[in-house]
Amino acid sequence: MWRGLWTLVSRAARGPHRLCTRQGSGYRAPGSGATIFALSSGQGRCGIAVIRTSGPASGHALQSLTAPRDLPPARKACLRLLSDPRSGEPLDRALVLWFPGPQSFTGEDCAEFHVHGGPAVVSGVLQALGSVPGLRPAEAGEFTRRAFAHGKLSLTEVEGLADLIHAETEAQRRQALRQLDGELGDLCRGWAETLTKALAHVEAYIDFSEDDNLEEGVLDQGGSPWGWEVETSGISPPRLLLSLSFPPSTADSEVRKLEVALGVHLRDARRGQRLRSGAHVVVAGPPNAGKSSLVNLLSRKPVSIVSPEPGTTRDVLETPVDLAGFPALLSDTAGLREGVGPVEQEGVRRAQKRLEQADLILAVLDASDLASPASCNFLDTVVIPAGARNPNGSRQRLLLVLNKSDLLPAGRSDLHPDLPSHLLLSCLTGEGLDGLLEALKKELAALCGDPSTGPLLTRSRHQHHLRGCLDALGQYKQAKDLALAAEALRVARGHLSHLTGGGGTEEILDIIFRDFCVGK
């Protein structure tokens, strides 16, 4: 019996250890036996350019360019004269660093050359490295791919690094840095450990219920008849410590808690994805209300043509902007009215379609012309319906902006008794802009989420695997046979493993790494 119990614990624990500790991913990067090199800093003239290598020949490459000097001390910057190994011609006087593996970004031997950023210097050093036997230019994302292959980064951390490189707003930077620091991966590993313990209990009932006369339904009765731990320090072979006790929580109760946690994260309404790619903010209103002026004001550049002639904008004009630290795709639309021609009618149709797709509507009205039929019609057809709740209890987010406040008589505040909550703004003078930006910040924070409150799901891949995990837990609850229940737990744990990088397919990895530049 004891031999069988040890086999059971080993089998249950073997899989999750790959999730709970930082080991190699099991994935081998294409051509990972070669030594690669690339310019890691940006292209073009700059003060300092960073060129790095990764692979077994990195030490030889560093010595070849700095001969006759020896390798510098590990992780210490040293000034060296770089020379072409073929001709001996001096190339530059640079700082060099040596990172012997596995204590490096990729887990392999790495070297860095911090050279002057002139094109001739960079080109000369790259050509010199290309002449060293065993070295080849790196492909896009290959350094990070090797870091993943050697267990230096999980797949969620790789995605966080890519997001950090592409971050354009403060909120994106905070979110990407937290994911790079392993916040989402740690959460998934904790969930995987919960499933591992539950699976160990279920398999124990399967293997020993007949021999030890365990009662049927013990999974639901509040405890396992034993608990165990494995002691490995200084002992060969490892010793199994068994204690007859009733742990405070059962497999079923732990699974129920995990279901609740997964449900909370899956109900985040795509906030993390909006934070990564930008919320869709649509500026709409009747003709000549100042929509294009507002778009230009928020984007700080002349995106749209501004004219006193109604109907100037006849198509949807989109521009990415940073609104109060959050990313947004700002859309200027045609004025909503009965089109006077086929082109304007098509523009109105496209504007109405954008309104249906919007995450947030900036409804713009002329504060000096609220009684006009166009303004009243816009209030009745767009503003008021947006404030009504949908059958699912939610409502479309909308901010009502009354533009041209500079045309109002001094001291006038009672614009209309039935007017919904609104913001006064003058695109001409900029008065009211700070209040609008503060309101936008609150709305976008609700749409995109606050990275400081916990991990956000920034990709549809995350949603897919958590949904698959939750579905598998639902099958576990419905299973009448313990063998089927155990299999459902394995499937659920497999989804968490795929989310952090274990067992990922080549196609998925290609999609993730292709967004990296050469040299990263």
Side-chain angles (χ1 to χ4, degrees):
M1 171 182 173
W2 299 109
R3 185 184 301 110
L5 187 55
W6 168 246
T7 302
L8 169 64
V9 178
S10 300
R11 185 171 70 243
R14 190 175 300 118
H17 275 310
R18 288 194 293 271
L19 282 170
C20 299
T21 61
R22 183 57 57 84
Q23 299 178 358
S25 66
Y27 164 76
R28 186 171 177 83
S32 56
T35 299
I36 56 175
F37 68 92
L39 174 66
S40 291
S41 53
Q43 299 285 342
R45 289 180 175 84
C46 55
I48 299 294
V50 179
I51 298 170
R52 63 176 173 177
T53 70
S54 179
S58 290
H60 174 61
L62 182 53
Q63 284 184 305
S64 296
L65 270 67
T66 59
R69 305 291 293 274
D70 294 330
L71 286 174
R75 289 169 292 282
K76 282 192 175 181
C78 295
L79 185 63
R80 292 285 192 270
L81 177 66
L82 303 185
S83 302
D84 191 315
R86 298 164 296 182
S87 63
E89 179 185 359
L91 298 172
D92 191 21
R93 191 172 296 275
L95 288 177
V96 298
L97 293 100
W98 167 238
F99 300 95
Q103 295 178 330
S104 68
F105 172 71
T106 63
E108 303 175 325
D109 289 348
C110 293
E112 288 188 2
F113 303 84
H114 294 219
V115 302
H116 293 97
V121 175
V122 173
S123 176
V125 175
L126 290 176
Q127 289 184 36
L129 287 171
S131 69
V132 177
L135 268 69
R136 65 165 176 82
E139 298 175 2
E142 192 168 0
F143 285 92
T144 304
R145 198 159 188 161
R146 291 190 177 200
F148 169 70
H150 290 98
K152 291 292 183 176
L153 295 172
S154 70
L155 202 54
T156 52
E157 290 166 352
V158 168
E159 292 169 331
L161 177 58
D163 291 345
L164 186 61
I165 293 173
H166 294 99
E168 296 182 350
T169 70
E170 185 69 15
Q172 286 177 318
R173 180 193 60 78
R174 291 198 304 267
Q175 160 60 22
L177 192 58
R178 294 177 76 94
Q179 187 164 324
L180 175 59
D181 286 341
E183 192 174 74
L184 179 58
D186 290 343
L187 179 65
C188 291
R189 281 186 281 271
W191 288 340
E193 187 175 350
T194 297
L195 290 177
T196 297
K197 293 177 181 177
L199 180 58
H201 285 301
V202 173
E203 290 194 339
Y205 304 141
I206 294 173
D207 285 11
F208 302 106
S209 58
E210 293 183 1
D211 294 340
D212 298 294
N213 298 317
L214 295 179
E215 297 180 7
E216 292 184 5
V218 70
L219 218 63
D220 305 317
Q221 293 179 1
S224 167
W226 55 65
W228 56 72
E229 60 181 3
V230 180
E231 184 179 6
T232 59
S233 58
I235 298 176
S236 182
R239 184 171 63 196
L240 179 67
L241 304 179
L242 183 69
S243 61
L244 296 176
S245 61
F246 288 86
S249 59
T250 66
D252 277 357
S253 65
E254 290 300 312
V255 167
R256 282 194 291 269
K257 292 178 183 177
L258 180 54
E259 278 188 302
V260 172
L262 289 172
V264 169
H265 281 270
L266 286 170
R267 286 194 298 272
D268 73 346
R270 293 180 58 251
R271 290 183 302 164
Q273 293 181 58
R274 286 197 195 97
L275 180 57
R276 177 172 171 261
S277 59
H280 192 185
V281 180
V282 174
V283 180
N288 226 23
K291 301 182 297 300
S292 297
S293 297
L294 178 57
V295 169
N296 292 344
L297 184 64
L298 292 176
S299 59
R300 303 182 187 90
K301 58 184 178 181
V303 175
S304 303
I305 298 175
V306 177
S307 168
E309 179 184 346
T312 304
T313 303
R314 298 189 176 189
D315 203 348
V316 178
L317 302 178
E318 296 181 332
T319 181
V321 295
D322 178 347
L323 291 179
F326 289 91
L329 182 64
L330 196 60
S331 297
D332 186 13
T333 60
L336 297 180
R337 65 171 178 174
E338 292 296 328
V340 296
V343 175
E344 188 172 351
Q345 287 177 356
E346 176 62 20
V348 171
R349 187 192 67 80
R350 294 186 182 188
Q352 292 170 338
K353 184 176 181 180
R354 281 294 195 279
L355 284 174
E356 297 172 0
Q357 301 169 344
D359 296 316
L360 172 64
I361 299 174
L362 280 181
V364 184
L365 288 175
D366 185 343
S368 64
D369 192 29
L370 294 177
S372 68
S375 295
C376 294
N377 182 64
F378 182 75
L379 283 169
D380 293 336
T381 59
V382 176
V383 176
I384 294 176
R389 292 191 176 274
N390 297 327
N392 60 7
S394 64
R395 61 181 180 83
Q396 192 167 29
R397 294 186 177 273
L398 181 144
L399 288 176
L400 178 58
V401 180
L402 303 186
N403 186 30
K404 305 183 182 181
S405 62
D406 54 289
L407 299 181
L408 294 175
R412 180 180 174 185
S413 58
D414 53 337
L415 296 176
H416 196 289
D418 299 325
L419 201 62
S421 176
H422 57 273
L423 297 162
L424 283 174
L425 172 71
S426 171
C427 289
L428 180 64
T429 66
E431 185 179 359
L433 179 60
D434 290 341
L436 174 60
L437 290 176
E438 188 61 31
L440 281 169
K441 184 177 182 179
K442 292 179 180 178
E443 293 290 338
L444 291 173
L447 281 169
C448 299
D450 184 357
S452 63
T453 60
L456 297 174
L457 307 181
T458 57
R459 284 168 166 79
S460 58
R461 188 182 73 85
H462 303 164
Q463 294 265 356
H464 167 75
H465 286 302
L466 290 193
R467 173 59 61 188
C469 180
L470 188 61
D471 291 344
L473 294 184
Q475 295 174 6
Y476 164 82
K477 289 171 57 179
Q478 297 173 3
K480 303 300 182 182
D481 183 84
L482 286 178
L484 295 177
E487 180 59 26
L489 290 178
R490 291 191 197 96
V491 171
R493 194 178 62 176
H495 277 289
L496 295 178
S497 175
H498 279 76
L499 197 153
T500 55
T505 65
E506 183 74 18
E507 291 78 9
I508 295 295
L509 296 174
D510 285 342
I511 291 173
I512 292 172
F513 286 105
R514 73 184 180 190
D515 289 334
F516 283 90
C517 58
V518 175
K520 190 60 184 172

